[in-house]
Amino acid sequence: SLDGDIAVDRGHYTFLADLWISAGQVDHGLWYLESAARAYPEEFTFHHALSGQLLTLGRLPEALAEAERAVTTGYGDNRLRAEKRRAEILVALGRNDEAKASLDAAISTAERPAEGVQVRTTRYLKELEAYRAGL
């Protein structure tokens, strides 16, 4: 249950935002993510979730700003997810050349796990490469 303290409730915010937005209460759902992003500006999770919701809503400039924040606060495999989101938003904005350049940089600088190591990084890199190949 929620107790009204963001530090205690924050683990529920992305889930609650999804519920509110799917119920048609978009502003209320976005409020959860925006509040958490303000309270935890250096945390990837809320910027990434907010960028995805804004992209879905077609609010592309805002989505791009949040995706940029997700890229700068992300690390490891989370940063790869943020890079893909940023590229998707750039494509939606008609900025394909920027998306390609961004993906090329992300792919070329990513730390690759050793062969046979089963981690999400491998999957996210393949997704980035596949998305880039489709542009």
Side-chain angles (χ1 to χ4, degrees), residues 18-113:
D18 289 347
L19 286 177
W20 282 107
I21 290 168
S22 15
Q25 299 295 317
V26 173
D27 289 340
H28 195 67
L30 292 177
W31 174 87
Y32 276 103
L33 296 176
E34 291 163 348
S35 297
R38 276 192 308 277
Y40 301 98
E42 298 303 316
E43 191 166 312
F44 157 86
T45 302
F46 303 114
H47 299 299
H48 189 257
L50 186 52
S51 71
Q53 291 290 0
L54 292 167
L55 171 59
T56 299
L57 294 167
R59 293 167 57 173
L60 300 179
E62 294 168 89
L64 182 58
E66 287 303 322
E68 294 287 351
R69 289 182 192 101
V71 167
T72 59
T73 59
Y75 55 90
D77 58 26
N78 284 339
R79 185 175 180 126
L80 297 175
R81 292 172 54 212
E83 293 282 7
K84 184 171 185 235
R85 172 75 47 79
R86 175 171 56 184
E88 292 168 335
I89 296 166
L90 287 169
V91 168
L93 286 165
R95 295 162 54 182
N96 287 29
D97 288 343
E98 279 181 71
K100 290 175 188 177
S102 176
L103 289 169
D104 289 343
I107 291 166
S108 69
T109 60
E111 289 188 39
R112 295 183 180 270

Side-chain angles (χ1 to χ4, degrees), residues 74-84 106-130:
Y75 55 90
D77 58 26
N78 284 339
R79 185 175 180 126
L80 297 175
R81 292 172 54 212
E83 293 282 7
K84 184 171 185 235
I107 291 166
S108 69
T109 60
E111 289 188 39
R112 295 183 180 270
E115 190 67 37
V117 174
Q118 300 295 317
V119 292
R120 294 180 298 200
T121 302
T122 304
R123 184 178 82 222
Y124 294 149
L125 271 170
K126 287 180 182 177
E127 288 176 12
L128 280 182
E129 291 165 343

